[in-house]
Amino acid sequence: MLRGLNTAASGMFSLERKQEALTNNLANAQTPGFKKDDPILRAFPNHLLERIRDFNQNGTTGTGQVSGQYPPNNEIASGVYTQERIANFSQGTFVQTSGALDLAIEDSSIPYQTINGRLVKPAGFFAVQMADGTVGYTRNGKFDLDSNGNLVTPEGYRVLGTNHQPIRITDSIAKEDLQIDTQGNILAYANDPARTRNIGQIGMVVVQNPHNLIRRGENLYGSDNAIPFVTDPGSTNPGMLLHQGFIEQSNVDAGQTMADMMVTIRGYEANQKVINAYDQSLQQLYSVGKVNG
């Protein structure tokens, strides 16, 4: 009976963690470039149930079973747990904003890679300078200029150029006078050949296995190993493009996520009812034992 209590309790714990992941996904359904987490539930290893046989003095059980051995009876699962959250890096929908500093990464043309015998889809990211000086990676391309002319994310992190330095727009150049091509080159006054200037180039990376990235919060990812920019020596762009005047929406399907949350709640309630049933049975057993005692 206690095994059933533990199994139901493990179901409640795992569904609670799944609900947390779904809630976080839904809360970021309108966050540009957000990538949802898919919680993975796995069962604990099954236990082999065995019949207990009395020890036979002559060394056998009469059925060919040696004394002291317990013939198998059946298997039972002992519960479930949420093993991990796996980020889903599928391409989000593009929305046109016409903002001069709104950028969206298109990486659907990057070919799959075989890593450890499994096909993995690489993903492209913008490179930004985090508060501790390390490099972070984001898909949120809704950029702006701070008071010093630095190109920054909505959270204030400075966007890095291909020279690994923050991009700064000087000489009071208006945002509307900037043009950014598909390779991330920033041109000022592109329509006036006499005044055209190259400001720099957006720093971008292609992560071969994005599942190795670590969430840092604020829609940023980090890596334990340095990731080369696509313009670094020896690196190539396998097919990633930038689109000015667009932002990439979150890849969260709000309708499906709400449906998954309802199913999760129903599962949680079912496990709760199982525990209540076990609790009532234990109370009855206790009452019977107390009367007979």
Side-chain angles (χ1 to χ4, degrees):
M1 181 176 292
L2 293 180
R3 182 184 293 117
L5 280 172
N6 293 334
T7 301
S10 70
M12 293 179 68
F13 287 134
S14 61
L15 290 175
E16 183 178 357
R17 293 192 63 189
K18 180 179 180 180
Q19 188 77 341
E20 290 174 355
L22 293 174
T23 302
N24 184 64
N25 290 342
L26 189 61
N28 288 280
Q30 300 300 322
T31 302
F34 179 81
K35 301 303 178 184
K36 65 179 180 178
D37 282 330
D38 293 328
I40 304 301
L41 273 62
R42 298 189 186 277
F44 286 114
N46 289 353
H47 289 294
L48 183 66
L49 299 181
E50 299 172 324
R51 294 191 299 268
I52 299 178
R53 289 183 177 271
D54 295 332
F55 180 76
N56 193 319
Q57 294 293 338
N58 60 16
T60 63
T61 62
T63 59
Q65 186 70 31
V66 178
S67 300
Q69 290 185 347
Y70 307 129
N73 182 21
N74 207 340
E75 289 187 351
I76 186 171
S78 56
V80 66
Y81 68 105
T82 304
Q83 183 184 33
E84 58 184 336
R85 298 182 184 180
I86 298 180
N88 186 324
F89 290 96
S90 60
Q91 183 87 58
T93 304
F94 286 1
V95 175
Q96 186 172 8
T97 64
S98 300
L101 297 180
D102 289 343
L103 301 174
I105 291 178
E106 179 185 354
D107 59 0
S108 57
S109 299
I110 300 178
Y112 280 80
Q113 302 291 325
T114 301
I115 300 177
N116 297 327
R118 300 180 62 182
L119 286 177
V120 177
K121 182 68 168 65
F125 294 87
F126 298 107
V128 301
Q129 187 178 64
M130 300 180 68
D132 59 0
T134 60
V135 179
Y137 309 98
T138 183
R139 292 281 294 210
N140 188 352
K142 193 169 183 60
F143 300 143
D144 204 347
L145 297 178
D146 64 11
S147 58
N148 295 319
N150 295 303
L151 189 63
V152 295
T153 67
E155 295 76 24
Y157 297 109
R158 291 184 290 182
V159 180
L160 296 178
T162 53
N163 60 354
H164 297 252
Q165 298 298 318
I167 296 175
R168 187 178 182 186
I169 311 298
T170 58
D171 299 333
S172 301
I173 300 175
K175 293 184 290 185
E176 294 73 18
D177 294 326
L178 297 175
Q179 180 175 316
I180 304 174
D181 64 17
T182 58
Q183 301 302 312
N185 293 297
I186 306 174
L187 298 178
Y189 311 113
N191 298 324
D192 185 354
R195 303 173 62 195
T196 300
R197 292 175 48 192
N198 190 325
I199 303 298
Q201 186 175 3
I202 303 290
M204 297 180 292
V205 302
V206 174
V207 183
Q208 299 301 317
N209 188 359
H211 298 297
N212 289 335
L213 296 176
I214 305 169
R215 281 196 184 273
R216 300 296 191 191
E218 298 181 305
N219 211 6
L220 290 172
Y221 296 88
S223 175
D224 292 333
N225 301 313
I227 302 175
F229 290 12
V230 294
T231 54
D232 287 346
S235 299
T236 58
N237 187 342
M240 179 171 57
L241 300 174
L242 281 187
H243 296 277
Q244 185 182 21
F246 292 83
I247 59 171
E248 180 188 8
Q249 286 188 317
S250 166
N251 64 356
V252 175
D253 185 332
Q256 182 61 51
T257 302
M258 293 181 67
D260 291 341
M261 291 176 67
M262 294 177 64
V263 171
T264 302
I265 292 175
R266 295 293 182 268
Y268 188 91
E269 292 174 345
N271 281 285
Q272 193 176 37
K273 291 179 180 178
V274 170
I275 291 180
N276 289 335
Y278 274 114
D279 182 58
Q280 292 175 7
S281 298
L282 288 172
Q283 288 180 4
Q284 292 176 2
L285 287 175
Y286 174 75
S287 299
V288 171
K290 186 176 181 181
V291 172
N292 293 336

